[in-house]
Amino acid sequence: MSAGSVAVVVTEEIGVPSWDLYELSIPCTVFGKPQPDLADPWYDLRLCGTGGGPEEGDGGASGHGLSLRTQYGLDDLVGADTVIVPSVPDPCVEEGRPLPRELIEALRRAHDAGARMVSLCTGAFALAEAGLLDGRRATAHWMHTAQLAERYPKVQVDASVLYVDDGDVLTSAGLTAGLDLCLHLVRRDLGAHVANQLARRMVVPAHRPGGQAQFIELPVPAGDDEGLASVLEWARANLDRPLTVADLARRAAMSPRTFYRRLQAVTGTTPLQWLLDQRLGRARSLLESTDLPIEKVGELSGLGTANNLRHHFLRHLGVSPGDYRRAFPGAQATGRGRTRV
């Protein structure tokens, strides 16, 4: 498994609105801070500026802009393993202001050279302008997906999901969905164990599936929801048991219908899908960090027999459990089989 180099595009270097720093800071935090105990070497992060921002004092930020100085330019996108466009200037989205032509050409060259192309939030407009989303499913912040679909009709815009992984091109919704996608990239590159440990250090959920709804009418149900949180935590600790929706609802002192509704309001997914996601995550972590037999991994994760484990891995991850484990040869070499599970 390899981390590789990550080039992050800074589309404006002068007059950057302070509120646009969030998307920019996400890849800097995930890929820029070395984590030698998790993977060594870690990612090689480069901030690449367009050098074509607005004049000083102009940034459309009502005096709230600031200046950034980058060490790298657009030519440095070519040769990077991953290229990330965190966002584009608001006028390019709201008013149709053209994106710098040199940026679009650099994105095309980077893609042609084999880079994995990624956008966070409105960064999808840059990938779409470069033609990299034509015929592909993609997403952006739900407030901008209608504009994205109208401006780029060849793009299959999905406004309902957190992120879309289309192999060599990935897009995400805005704000925390960008963090979900960056952790997903770490999971793809270095495995679930490393991604989970990194998420724990960042004090964020280890894994929100890309298909989870990005816009939920009731993000937090009315009333005290501590009971639901404690039940989900209990379920994570007991994935090896044959849990049912009725079991969880009973433990939460709710009817199955109420539990279903409350869980979907909080997570954007169904109880059964939530359980499957947790079990797959547990199985991946066990395969990476222990040398337990496949049958035991299926048992401890609650996915059942080795055949059933293989079925779910092939269906949801596209590889068998054995092939997945072989991507992490260090587990056996370091004696991780003795890891407490």
Side-chain angles (χ1 to χ4, degrees), residues 42-221:
W42 192 248
Y43 292 89
D44 173 22
L45 180 73
R46 311 169 188 171
L47 293 181
C48 303
T50 61
E55 296 298 322
E56 190 169 0
D58 178 25
S62 304
H64 297 288
L66 67 159
S67 298
L68 300 175
R69 181 175 298 174
T70 61
Q71 181 179 357
Y72 300 95
L74 292 177
D75 289 341
D76 294 296
L77 297 183
V78 180
D81 297 303
T82 301
V83 172
I84 300 178
V85 186
S87 62
V88 299
D90 286 346
C92 296
V93 178
E94 304 294 343
E95 303 166 15
R97 188 182 83 180
L99 286 161
R101 180 49 47 187
E102 58 270 22
L103 168 62
I104 302 307
E105 293 174 354
L107 292 175
R108 290 170 179 159
R109 293 200 309 272
H111 180 258
D112 290 343
R116 178 174 59 184
M117 309 300 292
V118 180
S119 68
L120 313 181
C121 195
T122 58
F125 283 78
L127 298 190
E129 182 65 26
L132 304 183
L133 300 183
D134 288 356
R136 294 178 183 262
R137 182 167 160 261
T139 193
H141 193 292
W142 62 268
M143 292 181 66
H144 303 299
T145 47
Q147 293 163 301
L148 182 65
E150 180 180 4
R151 196 171 302 172
Y152 303 101
K154 293 182 180 180
V155 181
Q156 301 170 18
V157 178
D158 188 341
S160 66
V161 296
L162 292 176
Y163 57 85
V164 175
D165 181 343
D166 198 31
D168 62 333
V169 178
L170 302 91
T171 56
S172 84
L175 300 174
T176 54
L179 179 54
D180 291 320
L181 178 53
C182 286
L183 288 172
H184 172 72
L185 292 173
V186 174
R187 188 174 295 106
R188 271 184 46 172
D189 296 339
L190 301 173
H193 178 73
V194 172
N196 290 346
Q197 292 302 310
L198 180 60
R200 183 180 182 187
R201 294 176 184 183
M202 299 178 69
V203 197
V204 296
H207 183 212
R208 289 201 298 171
Q212 183 170 319
Q214 64 166 287
F215 179 69
I216 303 171
E217 292 288 350
L218 293 174
V220 180

Side-chain angles (χ1 to χ4, degrees), residues 213-238:
Q214 64 166 287
F215 179 69
I216 303 171
E217 292 288 350
L218 293 174
V220 180
D224 183 359
D225 204 41
E226 291 184 2
L228 182 59
S230 64
V231 168
L232 298 186
E233 187 62 31
W234 176 85
R236 292 189 189 97
N238 292 274

